[in-house]
Amino acid sequence: MGDDLYAMQIDGQRCKGCGRCIEGCPVNAIQLQSGKAQILRRRCVDCGDCIRMCPNQARAFNADTLATLSLYPYSIALLPPSLEVFLDTECFSDEISFEDLQDVFSNMGFSEVFRVAEAAEVVGFIIEQHVLRKLCARPLFSSSCPAVLKLIRMRFPGLLKHVAPVLSPMEVAARLAKERAAEKTGLSPEKIGAFFVSPCPAKAAEARDPIMTTRSAVDRVIGVNLVYRDIITGLSRKAVVNRRNEAEGTVATGTGTGCSAGDRPLTTSMTVSGIHNVIRLLGEMEGGRFVRTDFVELLACPGGCPEGPLNSRKPFASISDLGGLIQKYRVKQRFHDHEHLLDIYRRGCFASAAPILPAPAEVADPDQSVHAGVGT
Ligand code: SF4
Ligand code: SF4
């Protein structure tokens, strides 16, 4: 496994060896060596907490750049629901349409845009069917946050049977988008590049070294921070034009969105966010608690993906507002009717390729780490 598979990197020039990240890393994956922070690759779960904590911006996200667009005759930008929640609520409300967003990505060089919210609806339905038909261990965990999956593999392998045996919304989106683009253009799938616009390093790690499948359909991952300025500038111009059109009598259509866990309520479910809270809950589950809960969505970031580390310095929806926002957007748009979703489920589409195996964490050197996190 080459170093480029890893999503997190440390910029040795910027690191001052202050140790702030070492104290905050929830899994004790950072050590000081020769006065510089070093990440233990097989302990790190890519939660991105050290990006938030470093006062010297010495944490780098090993992402792809827009230059890689030229490698593909046809390219698709996969937009996560977290980006839509932000754009639709914090910045532009109903002043922009999805077509406006498509135009902005087209100006960056993409051939088309695909909404991951559509895939999240499919994944949510499959999970619901597993729960309703009692085909799985109880409670079932969502498989959408790769940082949580890594954590379970390393620290809580006895709970792996609780992970929903379905691909993540990002992975399902890439497959749906490529299939449709191949039909539309007649191009072979390898000529179509799927680019995920990511709120976090964990998604880049998932695409490069997938846990739920042998090979990811996501070809490239670009950080949302890389395209943020282009999006805001492009949409600001669109909003001005739309306002003018509306004043003149032309109505702009609204932008819909979705959420990471699908939009159909399960009997008893809960969402736990923040890596420290997730660790605490998994510890309690190992002790036999929560057996009456059907489904648990586990998200490494406090407040979920809209608070992903690559988003966190932006004016995203505040954590306290997030539950209400997600609820609001869950019911805003349906992409598939019930019969179509049932057909997808019955055909076993998007099931994970193989059981997830434990991946014991690398042992940290106690002489070189200064740890104040929840556990090791
Ligand atoms: S586990 Fe999280 S905080 Fe620790 S090194 Fe990895 S990304 Fe940084
Ligand atoms: S909660 Fe979302 S943004 Fe945060 S690490 Fe998990 S998948 Fe990434």
Side-chain angles (χ1 to χ4, degrees):
M1 188 183 292
D3 213 40
D4 61 350
L5 285 175
Y6 296 107
M8 297 296 304
Q9 290 178 333
I10 291 175
D11 182 338
Q13 300 286 332
R14 287 174 177 254
C15 177
K16 307 279 187 257
C18 69
R20 192 85 63 87
C21 59
I22 297 175
E23 290 167 19
C25 175
V27 292
N28 195 16
I30 310 175
Q31 295 185 330
L32 269 190
Q33 284 174 9
S34 308
K36 303 280 183 189
Q38 298 286 333
I39 295 176
L40 298 178
R41 298 301 187 187
R42 285 183 292 112
R43 277 188 85 83
C44 172
V45 296
D46 304 306
C47 70
D49 266 10
C50 49
I51 293 180
R52 297 185 181 93
M53 280 179 274
C54 178
N56 302 305
Q57 284 83 52
R59 287 292 181 283
F61 168 40
N62 177 18
D64 292 299
T65 67
L66 291 178
T68 53
L69 278 170
S70 63
L71 298 174
Y72 304 91
Y74 196 88
S75 54
I76 308 167
L78 306 172
L79 301 193
S82 55
L83 179 62
E84 290 198 54
V85 167
F86 162 59
L87 293 174
D88 205 24
T89 57
E90 289 297 292
C91 290
F92 298 102
S93 186
D94 288 330
E95 290 173 334
I96 56 159
S97 66
F98 187 64
E99 287 70 31
D100 293 331
L101 200 51
Q102 280 177 311
D103 284 350
V104 168
F105 276 84
S106 162
N107 289 339
M108 287 182 216
F110 287 96
S111 312
E112 68 168 87
V113 162
F114 187 92
R115 300 169 71 179
V116 178
E118 178 180 340
E121 184 183 60
V122 173
V123 171
F125 185 87
I126 293 171
I127 288 175
E128 185 190 52
Q129 292 301 310
H130 275 288
V131 171
L132 293 177
R133 293 163 195 246
K134 302 193 187 328
L135 296 174
C136 47
R138 208 172 172 214
L140 202 60
F141 300 156
S142 61
S143 55
S144 62
C145 177
V148 169
L149 289 187
K150 272 196 174 177
L151 178 74
I152 297 174
R153 291 182 82 193
M154 288 184 194
R155 294 269 307 276
F156 303 95
L159 298 178
L160 281 170
K161 60 179 180 290
H162 291 269
V163 176
V166 58
L167 301 178
S168 69
M170 175 184 84
E171 194 60 46
V172 172
R175 292 174 187 214
L176 287 173
K178 280 183 158 178
E179 195 180 297
R180 281 181 209 164
E183 268 173 32
K184 186 167 85 179
T185 62
L187 289 168
S188 55
E190 63 274 10
K191 295 211 160 105
I192 300 169
F195 288 66
F196 184 70
V197 182
S198 182
C200 65
K203 289 291 190 186
E206 180 191 5
R208 289 175 195 154
D209 189 19
I211 294 174
M212 306 290 287
T213 183
T214 45
R215 192 172 188 283
S216 176
V218 177
D219 300 288
R220 304 278 161 183
V221 177
I222 51 174
V224 66
N225 53 337
L226 183 75
V227 291
Y228 178 79
R229 192 182 296 270
D230 286 345
I231 296 173
I232 296 302
T233 308
L235 289 183
S236 298
R237 288 199 199 105
K238 293 278 182 189
V240 170
V241 173
N242 289 346
R243 250 177 260 143
R244 200 180 300 139
N245 287 344
E246 211 166 342
E248 290 168 2
T250 313
V251 180
T253 51
T255 303
T257 182
C259 73
S260 61
D263 61 356
R264 288 171 169 76
L266 294 165
T267 320
T268 51
S269 64
M270 63 179 171
T271 300
V272 177
S273 69
I275 191 83
H276 293 279
N277 293 333
V278 169
I279 290 171
R280 203 168 301 131
L281 179 108
L282 292 173
E284 290 185 23
M285 279 204 58
E286 273 189 328
R289 289 199 62 202
F290 303 111
V291 289
R292 291 179 192 281
T293 306
D294 287 325
F295 174 71
V296 187
E297 174 138 58
L298 298 167
L299 299 164
C301 294
C305 301
E307 297 288 335
L310 303 179
N311 288 336
S312 59
R313 291 194 192 96
K314 311 292 184 267
F316 273 68
S318 71
I319 293 171
S320 58
D321 292 343
L322 203 60
L325 285 175
I326 288 175
Q327 205 53 42
K328 176 180 166 192
Y329 287 96
R330 275 182 178 179
V331 294
K332 197 164 180 183
Q333 181 165 3
R334 296 247 191 272
F335 296 92
H336 305 271
D337 62 34
H338 182 82
E339 284 311 310
H340 184 221
L341 290 170
L342 207 51
D343 180 54
I344 289 174
Y345 173 74
R346 286 190 180 128
R347 286 188 289 121
C349 305
F350 310 125
S352 52
I356 312 173
L357 298 175
E362 177 180 353
V363 177
D365 180 348
D367 293 336
Q368 297 206 35
S369 60
V370 184
H371 178 63
V374 168
T376 60

